[in-house]
Amino acid sequence: MIRVRFAPSPTGYLHVGGARTALFNWLYARRHGGLFVLRIEDTDTQRSSWEMVSGIVDGLRWMGLDWDEGPDIGGPHAPYFQSQRLDQYREAAARLVAQGSAYYCYCTPESLQQKRQAAEAAGGGWLYDRTCCTLTAGEVAAREATGAPRAVRFKVPRGSTSFIDLVHGRIEFPNAVIEDFVVLRSDLQPTYHLSVVVDDIEMAMTHVVRGDDHISNTPKQVLLYDAFGSSPPAFAHVPLILGTDKKRLSKRHGATSVMEYPRLGYLPEAMVNFLALLGWSPGGDEELLARDELIQMFALEGISGGNAVFNPEKLDWVNQQHIQRLTPEDLASRLEPWLRDKGLWSEHFGSSRRDWFVALVQLFQPRLKRLDQFTHEAGPLLRDDVIYEAQAVAKHLRPELHEPLSLLASKFAMLDPFTAQPLEMTLRALAETLQLKPASLIHATRVAVTGRAASPGLFEMLELAGRERVGERLRKALTHVAPPA
RNA sequence: GUCCCCAUCGUCCAGAGGCCUAGGACGUGGCCCUUUCAAGGCUAAAACACGGGUUCGAAUCCCGUUGGGGACGCCA
């Protein structure tokens, strides 16, 4: 049984990089009928907050990534908050010391800081100098007697450490570059390395899929697995997501929190599709993939090794494509919150005027890239008043069209049924009679009724606007058009 | 500074020694469709970082250089 986890630290919101890591884990679990576990790594009590946990949970839910075990639903390996598993880490650290894999370190953070800075000033890096590893029994006793705080450091053996990475292949580190890292702080809080390994062992993780930035942490963790007598899981380190300037994605690149995307009008299925293809490829040419298809095709082996730049334009395109694939009814439901927010929603849109509303949505669907655009685009048909855009008026509501528009208004007033085809025939017939180019009358009518120069097909618009509103606006528009002198 | 990862169009990917005159997608330009704007269709420009090997043959394998990224915490 495959078991994978997403283990965010609640020190910030769910950013797109984390979201993609979660997605890869989720896809992998779903692909193989495995289990996806959510675990909160809140051992940094200073920076962790409950608010961030719920933000992360919201982000995952929005993307439709559901977990089989986690803080809210529990599971056979509960609890899923590291802050509630401290005993296990302390016990593990004690075991390490008892078996000689780790030792107590009495160095103060200040002295370490000093040594580190001195080394840096000298132009090199610094690894812990093992001061406390070589203490004699007497020296240890002396420090213990003073009650000095002690941390637990792992004793890194000689040699080298390697592991198999499903995206990078075999990776090897000389142990000489790995320092004797702290596993248990002097305040008895575990460090990341200890808690992940203890939990991943206890939670029986078979695969660890995480960001590339953890590659250099991995040998330390492999050493811990060895010390605990466990064999490490399979690792898959996925490349980072960068901003357009190839720097690590940050706020100045725009929206980096997943939860900003619903507010910007993006569909979760589009986000999932887009993120899945950032750094991973199913191999073929297909780019627009539904959740089920992604699950069917997903493989860790298809993840590329290099970093990927987040391309907002492509996200827009993917989003647009997914919007086009929605049924009008579905789109209509997703649009409702937006209309409510703008005060353009009418309860009738859910009942007596449902068909009308869905038809309206369908008419605008092809031109929607993002959900937020609808209220603006369809505004003229949703609001009682029209806003005449000066440029559109100047260009299309020319004085010589005063009379034709007036005639058109009276013809429309008598038209029955008031539907697209008859509307178009009527307008074209009138244009012919008056020896006008149909286009000029069409444009003038569009501006008259919508106030804008651009819209979906005019006659479908007119039909949806209805006889009354069309007549009213045509009359109103005529006041903007001075008759020719 | 040390270690690790990466290297194909501007961007995301395909390519696992001959199928490559390097393919697709976004974006960009042009054309078509057309009542406008979109959408859609067609089309164009656009890349194997460099240098050495290995091989009959290299985008694909090896080495080096360069470039980019990551990590070097009693953060995760």
Side-chain angles (χ1 to χ4, degrees), chain A residues 181-471:
Chain A
F181 52 98
V182 171
V183 291
L184 194 72
R185 288 184 259 260
S186 49
D187 62 0
L188 299 183
Q189 292 289 320
T191 62
Y192 165 69
H193 298 297
L194 213 221
S195 57
V196 213
V197 172
V198 168
D199 285 350
D200 284 342
I201 291 172
E202 196 280 325
M203 295 184 180
M205 291 302 151
T206 57
H207 296 70
V208 168
V209 181
R210 68 212 323 186
D212 233 348
D213 48 341
H214 284 289
I215 289 183
S216 51
N217 289 327
T218 309
K220 294 179 184 169
Q221 294 164 18
V222 168
L223 254 14
L224 281 172
Y225 279 100
D226 286 348
F228 288 129
S230 295
S231 48
F235 293 98
H237 288 100
V238 317
L240 269 17
I241 298 179
L242 310 179
T244 321
D245 56 359
K246 305 234 181 175
K247 298 285 183 223
R248 219 175 157 150
L249 207 59
S250 72
K251 289 212 173 126
R252 62 201 160 74
H253 295 110
T256 51
S257 162
V258 167
M259 286 315 281
E260 289 180 60
Y261 287 88
R263 287 194 292 103
L264 293 169
Y266 292 92
L267 258 32
E269 50 267 63
M271 195 66 183
V272 164
N273 187 166
F274 174 73
L275 248 26
L277 260 28
L278 205 55
W280 170 72
S281 165
D285 283 342
E286 284 307 310
E287 303 251 23
L288 268 4
L289 300 163
R291 186 176 301 264
D292 296 352
E293 296 174 303
L294 290 171
I295 291 172
Q296 284 317 306
M297 299 166 135
F298 190 75
L300 294 173
E301 289 73 18
I303 295 174
S304 57
N307 293 339
V309 172
F310 185 92
N311 182 253
E313 270 114 37
K314 185 145 185 181
L315 205 213
D316 275 349
W317 177 77
V318 172
N319 196 52
Q320 175 195 307
Q321 294 301 319
H322 278 273
I323 287 177
Q324 302 321 311
R325 281 160 181 71
L326 255 27
T327 62
E329 180 63 46
D330 187 356
L331 215 208
S333 308
R334 301 200 200 208
L335 254 12
E336 182 179 330
W338 295 86
L339 299 214
R340 285 187 185 280
D341 186 55
K342 294 279 180 196
L344 295 173
W345 178 255
S346 151
E347 292 308 326
H348 299 300
F349 293 167
S351 51
S352 60
R353 299 249 284 159
R354 188 62 179 177
D355 290 347
W356 180 86
F357 181 61
V358 173
L360 180 73
V361 167
Q362 189 166 16
L363 184 59
F364 283 88
Q365 188 167 10
R367 53 216 301 119
L368 255 35
K369 258 197 175 100
R370 281 175 278 108
L371 261 24
D372 63 293
Q373 295 170 325
F374 182 74
T375 51
H376 175 259
E377 292 287 319
L381 292 190
L382 289 165
R383 297 175 193 277
D384 290 330
D385 55 322
V386 221
I387 297 156
Y388 289 100
E389 287 178 2
Q391 262 198 323
V393 171
K395 186 164 182 195
H396 297 295
L397 285 184
R398 316 206 54 92
E400 60 269 29
L401 263 6
H402 186 278
E403 186 62 18
L405 279 175
S406 176
L407 285 171
L408 187 68
S410 38
K411 295 220 180 259
F412 279 176
M414 296 181 297
L415 193 63
D416 189 57
F418 199 79
T419 52
Q421 233 187 6
L423 281 162
E424 177 161 11
M425 285 168 62
T426 304
L427 181 143
R428 285 185 189 277
L430 179 64
E432 172 130 28
T433 318
L434 300 176
Q435 307 240 314
L436 280 171
K437 277 196 293 192
S440 62
L441 193 51
I442 286 171
H443 292 152
T445 307
R446 183 189 339 271
V447 177
V449 176
T450 68
R452 306 202 187 141
S455 82
L458 176 69
F459 304 104
E460 289 75 18
M461 292 268 296
L462 296 180
E463 176 177 337
L464 286 174
R467 186 200 315 280
E468 196 178 323
R469 187 169 270 177
V470 169

Side-chain angles (χ1 to χ4, degrees), chain A residues 2-79:
Chain A
I2 281 174
R3 292 176 58 84
V4 294
R5 83 306 197 272
F6 178 57
S9 166
T11 52
Y13 48 74
L14 179 65
H15 57 91
V16 295
R20 189 192 54 168
T21 300
L23 174 62
F24 283 179
N25 274 286
W26 182 85
L27 286 172
Y28 190 64
R30 296 294 171 257
R31 170 70 182 87
H32 297 285
L35 260 25
F36 177 56
V37 177
L38 177 62
R39 182 177 72 219
I40 305 298
E41 309 218 324
D42 55 351
T43 52
D44 183 345
T45 48
Q46 293 302 305
R47 296 194 300 149
S48 297
S49 80
W50 179 254
E51 201 176 38
M52 291 304 173
V53 173
S54 70
I56 289 168
V57 162
D58 288 347
L60 294 173
R61 290 224 173 98
W62 177 68
M63 296 218 305
L65 308 186
D66 56 333
W67 45 97
D68 306 295
E69 296 172 26
D72 52 337
I73 53 175
H77 299 274

